[in-house]
Amino acid sequence: MNRKKKTLIYILAVIILFGVFMKFGGRYFTPAAVARANELGLHYGPSQKVLLEYKGSENDVLVIGKVDDRSLSVIPAKRSFGIFWRLKGGGISGLSSIDYDEDNAAAWYSSNFQLVYGITDLKNADSVKFSIEYKNNDMADFAKNNGYTAKVDEDGFFYLPIEKMDDESWYYVRNISVYDKEGKEIYTLEK
């Protein structure tokens, strides 16, 4: 075999091995590709569109996609080998949906990314107000921080970065109120 044929065979072998590594190693070129692959694997995706790629640290990204008018897909990704992305360890939220038929909004807190995110299916929603409850093992009861406000986009999606009070606490979003452009309350969910 001459040198050109050997070089071509080696190049093809490297391309095939790279493809196998990417396929079976769970490595992708973008955080959105990680989210798409996991949504398909969890049998609820892919999302209609990616609403947010929120950078946590230099190597972590939280990808939030819109599955439908009442559901979000939440997948954390992290850098791998400098140029690739893979699923971040520690579990995934996956599909996050508005509960029950009568609810029209829901919100969650991601402790790893210190981010509140949520969705409302009310078409005339402009902003959302909510409170955060937190508790740790040293506290007798939940403490509450009131008065957070986030803008709602055309997809009904909202988010707001909120720093933790401490690393030992659990955080929950409570008492969601949705407002229209005139500032009139159009929906309240008290939990």
Side-chain angles (χ1 to χ4, degrees), residues 11-183:
I11 290 172
L12 288 173
V14 167
I15 290 171
I16 290 169
L17 288 174
F18 179 75
V20 169
F21 167 75
M22 293 293 286
K23 176 75 174 168
F24 295 111
R27 305 299 194 268
Y28 301 91
F29 289 111
T30 65
V34 173
R36 185 181 191 302
N38 282 277
E39 290 168 354
L40 292 172
L42 293 169
H43 302 291
Y44 67 80
S47 292
Q48 296 173 5
K49 70 180 189 176
V50 173
L51 299 171
L52 178 68
E53 288 187 19
Y54 186 78
K55 192 171 182 130
S57 67
E58 63 185 48
N59 293 323
D60 298 344
V61 172
L62 186 66
V63 181
I64 301 176
K66 181 178 181 180
V67 177
D68 58 39
D69 286 339
R70 297 179 58 87
S71 304
L72 297 174
S73 173
V74 184
I75 308 289
K78 73 181 274 181
R79 281 234 181 252
S80 176
F81 298 120
I83 59 170
F84 302 116
W85 292 89
R86 68 178 176 89
L87 182 65
K88 182 179 177 185
I92 62 172
S93 300
L95 187 67
S96 299
S97 298
I98 297 173
D99 292 334
Y100 311 110
D101 292 332
E102 62 270 0
D103 286 351
N104 293 104
W108 302 270
Y109 183 78
S110 172
S111 290
N112 292 337
F113 290 88
Q114 299 185 40
L115 179 75
V116 170
Y117 60 90
I119 190 167
T120 179
D121 61 355
L122 298 168
K123 299 301 178 202
N124 54 345
D126 183 63
S127 64
V128 174
K129 289 185 181 176
F130 56 88
S131 60
I132 299 286
E133 285 186 349
Y134 62 97
K135 182 180 186 319
N136 62 35
N137 289 333
D138 298 331
M139 298 169 65
D141 200 9
F142 281 92
K144 186 183 281 190
N145 286 349
N146 289 324
Y148 296 107
T149 302
K151 292 297 280 179
V152 177
D153 69 10
E154 67 274 359
D155 292 303
F157 174 70
F158 57 92
Y159 72 97
L160 187 67
I162 297 177
E163 289 189 30
K164 294 184 201 180
M165 305 306 152
D166 63 67
D167 287 333
E168 301 299 319
S169 293
W170 304 279
Y171 295 83
Y172 303 96
V173 179
R174 298 286 188 237
N175 305 329
I176 302 167
S177 296
V178 182
Y179 296 86
D180 63 10
K181 289 184 191 230
E182 289 79 42

